Amino acid sequence: MIKIFLYELRRILTNKFFVGLFIVTCIYSWQTLSGDIITGVANTAPFSAWSYGLYLGKTAPLLVITLLFFVTFLYSRKEKQVQSITSTTSFSPARYCLLRCAAMAVGYLLLSVAVIGISFFFYDWVFQFSDFGNLLLPILLILLPTFVFFLGLGMAAGRIFPPILYGIMLLVLIFGQIALPPVADLFGIQFYQSYPLTLPLGADGEPAFSVPASFWIGKILYLAAGGLLMFAALFKKKRTY
Amino acid sequence: MSFLSYLRVETGRIFRSRIFWLAAVLTLCAPIAGYLFYFPATLNHESSIGLWIANPALAGTFGGTVLFALLTLYELDRVYRKEMASLTDTIVSTLMLSSSRTLSLLLAAAAAVVCAAVLYLPYTLYRTGALWDGGYYLFAYLGLMLPTVWSGILLAAALYQFTRRVELSAVLLTALVLLSMSQYVSDQFLLRWINPLVPWCSDYFGNLRVIQTGLYSRLLWLLLSASLWLLSLPAIRKYGYGLGRSFLKGCRKIYLPFTAFVLIGCGFGMYLCQPFINHSQMEYASFSSHPMSTEPKLTIDEVEITCKPNVMTGTQQGTATYKIFNLEKEDVVETFIMNCGYTIDKVTANGETIPYTDLNNDLNFEKQIEVTIPPGYVTLVMEYSGMPQVWNGLRGSLTGTVFSPEFISLEMCDFYPYHSFIEHGKLELTLPEKLIPISNWVDIEVNLISENTDGTRTWELEPPRGGYFGNLYAAEYIALETETENISAVFYCPKKQQAAMEEVNIQQILADVLEYCSAHYGTPPFAEEGKLRLIEAGIPAMMGGYAVDQTSIMSENTFYEKIYTASAETANSPEIMIHEIVHQWWGLGKNLYDDNTASNGWSSEGLTTYTTYRIIKEKYGEEYAKEHCVDVWQSQADYLKNNFYFRYPEYLDRLPEQYAARVRGSVDSIMMYSVVPLKILKAEKLVGGEEKMDEILKGLFTNQNLNPITYADFLDACGLTEEALELD
């Protein structure tokens, strides 16, 4: 099983799209940090959890697009042709699919590590800031629900009609640009810019990082929706004639 | 069958296809978005040309390009989707088929764009009325929209031919569209391939620079997309080969990659050698950073300049003749500065050609020229020519010195190689006969010296000895006189705008402002002898306004008819006009400055902004003034107080200079235009109200002391302390 997992992982990591998107994401991350984040978000420090949330929110669409590209590999024409052979093996298709999801998760994780690593380097280089502990919550709040939701959505959509995946990629880009209420703001781009302005200031003149219940509920709903969609895509049998 | 036969067949097929008609109809509908919600030409959104020509055409450009790019992908994938490729490949060369198909799509797109131009013509004519500009309309549809749609088709075809996958080509195309629309290229006219940069539209002063940059960028993208398309032709899959082998086989037709690389070379050449924007740093730097010589080694008694602008190309040819006395006994290398767009053609000293060096060290608008001047009395003649360039820091607004058939704007260094030791100068300027030059300095003599037979007139401008040429504006100006009890004023506006200005009774509006200021603060020193001059400058030169000796200059968007006919709820721009007139009292009548201006923001802007608020309050009511002035100042002050870099200035030093300059600029602006007015407003309450404050300000204005009014003077006059005016 590990052998299959490693094989799938290697297929993802050596794919030319992954390499291209990896480079694009790294460049975009640096530009976002040095363009939008360096002046601080909502009057907070550039290295506050609020500013960091916005940084991750802005880079998340690229991570999602990479993830959706991974998902397109599952449903490509060639893949379907190979499926007639792999399905004859004793290995459960659902387990095989889970293994491939795990490989995708590792690919997504590596890309996320690159995005986070670039930001840590930037903060240390420009501001000599290295207290990264308070940035953990925004990382979890953005990257985890985003991964689960779009993996589930992508798998479900790919199962129904694979070209929808490209439409979803386009929607992801638009999704990041429109103002949404906190409960629906998956990337948090609006939330991290506007919510801190409504909070009382602490002794250091910065609003403490706290997230309203509606934002938590939204993330949980996205996680649940993603989980359900993934489950449906993995275990619901497609009718064949 | 010949290529033309294939082209005829393909074109007929495209025109019979339903999907083409869908794309064409949607393209025809796309300009409607420009009327409803897509306003890319927004820097001056009240302009009729912008509202009724530029925005719809730019919406059509974007929509049409996306639609025809998708149509291209659909059409090119057709034979593969229907699994007919193996059949067609045996009948006709893939190269021939692909070329004729792409060309037929280009023809179809041209038909759709021409139809759009014809369709919207009557409505545009109706809406623009007297401001209709046929040349601009043709430029918008045929100069911007058509080449952009063509570029989209060629790019889509190229991407498809490389990838042979519709979805991947669509994603790559989307990435290119997003890149073009991203903030990273928003101020770079050459990199915006699908959304051409049209930052402003002028109703009265022409649009030559926008037209030139628009056409230049379209040509660049046509070259690049055509080269990419040519390069993709060998990549069309054949003999069952993949991309690599097909490409190598295809490259045997060497003229394809060769032509593609020639076009790419031309494109990059155009990118690198664009003549419109200079290569200066984006942050403004003072002249002191120029290594100008500070100790005079020579005197320049006089300079006579002859300028012959070519308004059709936006260029000029000039000759500057300097009478120089070199105080040294040897050659002296002296530095002149001039606009980065000019090149020196020849330099002679006493008739002999002498060496010079163009340092090409662009800074702000200028660069330096080093000239070796022989000892003794020298008649130095410099011949120069070229197109004045926009400062890189203003590349997003494309404003600056301009020569156009409707308007000429020249700053001091923009018409000749300038030197700071020049004692006296004389400029001879040949302009189209309808253009009348006006200098922003009131004491510069402007005389018509000849009416020429070629439809031009020659003017002579002569500043007093030791004076500067200042800035020069030339347009088809007419003068509207305004008289009040204490001050008279003359407003120079374009002849084309005269009826509209008289309709809104602009003279009365100006008189109200002048009357208010003289009644509240006293008459400015010039009122006894001369007139206040108000000059309307074209938006191609500047946005906003400024004031100098007895003259207030404002850009055309300050005077759009709509602003003065709007209700109090929608009026928003008389503030600029009022602000620049008020500067004749605060700034020019009395200067406000002290040693702590850098930290406390005390300058003429604060009191000018406060006075503007008072006039607005009187004219539009308290509620309007509070919402548009006081609330805006307060939100800016709150922003500043809470801003991280204001709270922790030590972090500013850690920022790279460009970001630090951005933050500092923002802080200075808020201090001057928001914090100081709020403090004056607070002082007004503490001293007992508006009338009391008016008395105090009148006292400060009529004080005979010639020194600038300091913050301490203001506090003393109010009987307040600095602490009392600190904001909460």
Side-chain angles (χ1 to χ4, degrees):
Chain A
M1 209 155 81
I2 289 174
K3 209 170 180 180
I4 297 172
F5 169 75
L6 289 175
Y7 170 74
E8 290 296 335
L9 186 61
R10 201 183 69 187
R11 274 183 70 193
I12 281 177
L13 299 186
T14 55
N15 187 283
K16 55 182 181 271
F17 288 119
F18 176 76
V19 176
L21 283 165
F22 186 87
I23 294 166
V24 169
T25 306
C26 291
I27 294 169
Y28 181 72
S29 300
W30 187 264
Q31 284 195 325
T32 306
L33 284 165
S34 58
D36 299 335
I37 306 301
I38 198 166
T39 48
V41 171
N43 293 327
T44 66
F47 40 80
S48 70
W50 300 106
S51 298
Y52 198 67
L54 181 69
Y55 162 67
L56 290 178
K58 286 197 160 211
T59 45
L62 275 179
L63 299 183
V64 169
I65 286 172
T66 313
L67 178 69
L68 290 172
F69 259 115
F70 295 160
V71 179
T72 61
F73 303 155
L74 287 181
Y75 301 101
S76 69
R77 200 181 298 168
K78 280 182 186 168
E79 201 62 39
K80 278 184 181 166
Q81 286 164 349
V82 174
Q83 229 170 46
S84 55
I85 301 166
T86 54
S87 60
T88 58
T89 62
S90 57
F91 203 70
S92 148
R95 280 179 71 191
Y96 180 51
C97 197
L98 267 176
L99 268 182
R100 300 183 79 179
C101 287
M104 284 183 221
V106 173
Y108 181 85
L109 190 69
L110 282 174
L111 204 57
S112 305
V113 166
V115 168
I116 294 166
I118 285 170
S119 64
F120 287 0
F121 171 75
F122 181 83
Y123 284 150
D124 187 50
W125 180 57
V126 179
F127 301 106
Q128 291 82 55
F129 173 84
S130 53
D131 180 16
F132 301 127
N134 63 338
L135 307 181
L136 196 64
L137 193 54
I139 292 174
L140 286 175
L141 274 171
I142 292 172
L143 297 185
L144 186 65
T146 304
F147 169 74
V148 174
F149 177 72
F150 279 104
L151 181 63
L153 184 68
M155 287 175 68
R159 204 178 155 88
I160 296 164
F161 185 52
I164 297 178
L165 286 167
Y166 297 99
I168 297 175
M169 288 181 201
L170 194 62
L171 284 178
V172 166
L173 293 170
I174 297 166
F175 204 58
Q177 306 298 319
I178 49 176
L180 293 166
V183 71
D185 197 358
L186 180 57
F187 298 133
I189 290 176
Q190 292 300 320
F191 173 76
Y192 288 110
Q193 289 180 89
S194 55
Y195 187 66
L197 294 171
T198 66
L199 295 176
L201 302 177
D204 59 350
E206 300 262 314
F209 188 75
S210 67
V211 178
S214 59
F215 196 71
W216 279 112
I217 291 167
K219 298 294 171 192
I220 292 164
L221 287 176
Y222 274 119
L223 272 171
L228 280 174
L229 286 166
M230 214 186 308
F231 183 81
L234 278 172
F235 298 107
K236 190 167 184 268
K237 282 202 167 177
K238 202 172 181 179
R239 191 180 291 172
T240 51
Y241 297 96
Chain B
M1 278 172 85
S2 67
F3 176 76
L4 283 177
S5 306
Y6 283 116
L7 180 62
R8 189 172 48 78
V9 170
E10 273 300 318
T11 309
R13 193 185 60 74
I14 293 275
F15 275 97
R16 283 193 297 275
S17 111
R18 283 183 193 165
I19 195 89
F20 159 71
W21 284 106
L22 178 66
V25 168
L26 290 175
T27 299
L28 291 183
C29 295
I32 295 170
Y35 296 123
L36 300 177
F37 57 85
Y38 182 67
F39 309 123
T42 49
L43 275 183
N44 57 336
H45 45 80
E46 296 91 359
S47 142
S48 289
I49 299 281
L51 281 175
W52 309 117
I53 302 180
N55 284 334
L58 288 168
T61 301
F62 183 82
T65 306
V66 169
L67 288 162
F68 271 90
L70 293 176
L71 178 70
T72 305
L73 294 181
Y74 177 86
E75 284 295 334
L76 294 187
D77 190 53
R78 199 183 170 90
V79 283
Y80 300 102
R81 199 171 54 248
K82 306 281 184 192
E83 297 182 346
M84 295 294 288
S86 49
L87 200 61
T88 53
D89 286 356
T90 58
I91 303 166
V92 56
S93 128
T94 50
L95 188 65
M96 182 93 85
L97 195 62
S98 177
S99 308
S100 58
R101 191 161 290 161
T102 308
L103 198 55
S104 64
L105 282 162
L106 295 176
L107 289 172
V113 173
V114 170
C115 284
V118 172
L119 184 69
Y120 289 94
L121 182 62
Y123 183 65
T124 312
L125 274 169
Y126 165 68
R127 294 311 303 241
T128 51
L131 299 175
W132 161 254
D133 184 340
Y136 193 87
Y137 191 80
L138 282 178
F139 155 73
Y141 281 93
L142 302 183
L144 287 184
M145 187 172 172
L146 183 58
T148 311
V149 174
W150 278 350
S151 295
I153 290 171
L154 291 169
L155 282 174
L159 290 174
Y160 180 79
Q161 280 160 184
F162 276 122
T163 62
R164 258 287 296 282
R165 282 174 61 180
V166 173
E167 70 280 9
L168 187 57
S169 306
V171 168
L172 290 171
L173 205 60
T174 307
L176 285 176
V177 171
L178 291 173
L179 189 68
S180 177
M181 301 189 77
S182 74
Q183 55 173 320
Y184 304 111
V185 301
S186 62
D187 60 353
Q188 298 187 54
F189 78 98
L190 281 176
L191 297 182
R192 294 172 50 150
W193 74 273
I194 197 170
N195 54 336
L197 179 64
V198 181
W200 42 261
C201 298
S202 175
D203 286 348
Y204 303 107
F205 293 90
N207 292 281
L208 185 68
R209 182 173 294 126
V210 165
I211 292 174
Q212 285 179 327
T213 52
L215 292 177
Y216 192 89
S217 66
R218 293 313 90 190
L219 180 60
L220 172 79
W221 279 103
L222 266 182
L223 281 177
L224 290 179
S225 51
S227 61
L228 204 63
W229 178 73
L230 279 172
L231 206 58
S232 73
L233 285 176
I236 297 173
R237 311 297 189 271
K238 47 184 112 39
Y239 313 129
Y241 292 156
L243 171 65
R245 286 189 74 180
S246 297
F247 187 73
L248 287 176
K249 279 240 173 232
C251 280
R252 287 180 185 171
K253 291 188 171 66
I254 193 72
Y255 62 88
L256 286 176
F258 176 76
T259 318
F261 283 116
V262 168
L263 292 185
I264 289 173
C266 291
F268 276 103
M270 280 184 75
Y271 180 80
L272 295 174
C273 305
Q274 58 78 22
F276 305 103
I277 314 288
N278 72 18
H279 299 98
S280 162
Q281 62 186 48
M282 292 189 73
E283 286 71 41
Y284 191 85
S286 66
F287 278 115
S288 58
S289 59
H290 268 304
M292 291 280 286
S293 56
T294 48
E295 284 189 21
K297 292 175 181 166
L298 49 78
T299 58
I300 304 179
D301 291 334
E302 193 168 74
V303 58
E304 285 185 7
I305 309 144
T306 309
C307 286
K308 287 189 180 162
N310 182 339
V311 293
M312 299 314 289
T313 57
T315 58
Q316 77 145 329
Q317 271 197 317
T319 307
T321 308
Y322 308 80
K323 303 281 186 214
I324 296 176
F325 180 57
N326 180 355
L327 305 169
E328 306 288 312
K329 288 179 179 163
E330 55 191 17
D331 287 359
V332 166
V333 176
E334 204 49 47
T335 308
F336 293 75
I337 57 173
M338 70 173 189
N339 186 284
C340 307
Y342 298 139
T343 50
I344 296 285
D345 300 323
K346 192 179 176 188
V347 183
T348 61
N350 299 328
E352 297 285 318
T353 302
I354 57 167
Y356 65 89
T357 312
D358 185 340
L359 297 182
N360 279 316
N361 54 345
D362 301 8
L363 186 71
N364 306 332
F365 295 93
E366 299 98 31
K367 63 179 176 180
Q368 291 178 294
I369 310 292
E370 284 184 349
V371 181
T372 308
I373 297 170
Y377 284 102
V378 178
T379 301
L380 182 80
V381 180
M382 293 174 80
E383 291 173 24
Y384 55 96
S385 59
M387 176 189 285
Q389 288 183 335
V390 172
W391 170 35
N392 197 23
L394 293 175
R395 65 189 183 189
S397 67
L398 294 177
T399 52
T401 285
V402 65
F403 298 106
S404 70
E406 300 87 357
F407 180 56
I408 285 176
S409 151
L410 285 172
E411 289 201 9
M412 188 164 57
C413 302
D414 284 341
F415 57 87
Y416 78 111
Y418 168 78
H419 194 286
S420 50
F421 299 147
I422 295 172
E423 277 292 308
H424 181 234
K426 199 186 280 182
L427 167 67
E428 210 176 279
L429 185 64
T430 303
L431 299 176
E433 59 185 350
K434 65 177 183 178
L435 301 189
I436 298 163
I438 301 171
S439 169
N440 65 345
W441 288 100
V442 74
D443 50 4
I444 291 183
E445 281 183 42
V446 181
N447 299 310
L448 178 65
I449 55 171
S450 70
E451 303 221 12
N452 310 319
T453 51
D454 59 351
T456 59
R457 291 196 288 186
T458 304
W459 300 79
E460 188 181 75
L461 284 86
E462 189 171 358
R465 204 162 181 84
Y468 296 107
F469 277 108
N471 297 348
L472 184 78
Y473 305 99
E476 198 176 2
Y477 281 121
I478 48 118
L480 299 175
E481 302 275 347
T482 299
E483 290 279 343
T484 70
E485 196 180 325
N486 302 308
I487 305 175
S488 50
V490 56
F491 170 45
Y492 295 100
C493 74
K495 194 177 174 187
K496 211 174 168 185
Q497 201 183 9
Q498 183 177 6
M501 286 290 94
E502 284 172 351
E503 180 88 5
V504 299
N505 202 359
I506 190 74
Q507 284 133 304
Q508 187 56 50
I509 294 169
L510 297 173
D512 289 346
V513 179
L514 297 172
E515 200 62 61
Y516 178 96
C517 291
S518 6
H520 285 75
Y521 310 125
T523 47
F526 65 79
E528 288 173 16
E529 296 167 6
K531 289 177 178 176
L532 169 65
R533 300 186 319 150
L534 303 165
I535 302 173
E536 181 177 340
I539 211 160
M542 60 182 240
M543 300 280 293
Y546 68 95
V548 292
D549 178 37
Q550 214 176 309
T551 309
S552 292
I553 297 97
M554 289 152 268
S555 56
E556 63 173 301
N557 55 320
T558 316
F559 292 102
Y560 285 140
E561 189 187 350
K562 201 177 280 179
I563 293 164
Y564 299 96
T565 51
S567 63
E569 287 73 37
T570 54
N572 56 3
S573 287
E575 280 101 307
I576 299 172
M577 185 266 285
I578 296 168
H579 184 102
E580 299 308 336
I581 294 176
V582 173
H583 265 311
Q584 295 297 332
W585 277 259
W586 306 121
L588 294 165
K590 279 283 178 185
N591 192 15
L592 284 80
Y593 183 79
D594 68 22
D595 294 338
N596 300 318
T597 288
S599 58
N600 67 12
W602 181 252
S603 75
S604 307
E605 298 302 339
L607 207 42
T608 303
T609 306
Y610 167 79
T611 305
T612 305
Y613 150 74
R614 292 285 305 279
I615 296 170
I616 293 283
K617 188 178 169 187
E618 191 172 279
K619 199 170 170 57
Y620 293 107
E622 188 166 357
E623 200 179 326
Y624 176 86
K626 183 176 179 303
E627 187 189 337
H628 287 79
C629 301
V630 181
D631 290 353
V632 174
W633 303 340
Q634 190 60 57
S635 72
Q636 289 287 300
D638 289 344
Y639 167 81
L640 189 63
K641 192 177 78 178
N642 297 329
N643 185 271
F644 172 74
Y645 290 104
F646 195 69
R647 288 185 280 120
Y648 298 100
E650 65 271 21
Y651 277 100
L652 256 184
D653 301 331
R654 299 185 194 176
L655 282 185
E657 188 43 43
Q658 56 172 322
Y659 300 109
R662 201 165 82 188
V663 174
R664 285 194 191 101
S666 166
V667 169
D668 291 349
S669 172
I670 294 173
M671 287 297 287
M672 284 195 289
Y673 290 95
S674 296
V675 172
V676 173
L678 276 176
K679 286 184 176 181
I680 298 170
L681 196 63
K682 191 172 182 184
E684 176 201 291
K685 286 180 184 132
L686 292 173
V687 298
E690 290 178 351
E691 280 184 25
K692 187 72 187 157
M693 177 53 82
D694 288 343
E695 275 176 37
I696 291 167
L697 294 179
K698 190 171 190 171
L700 287 170
F701 185 76
T702 50
N703 191 328
Q704 296 302 310
N705 188 348
L706 294 175
N707 292 330
I709 301 170
T710 62
Y711 190 37
D713 294 337
F714 174 75
L715 290 171
D716 287 347
C718 294
L720 297 168
T721 61
E722 206 165 325
E723 290 72 30
L725 293 190
E726 284 303 315
L727 302 177
D728 300 329

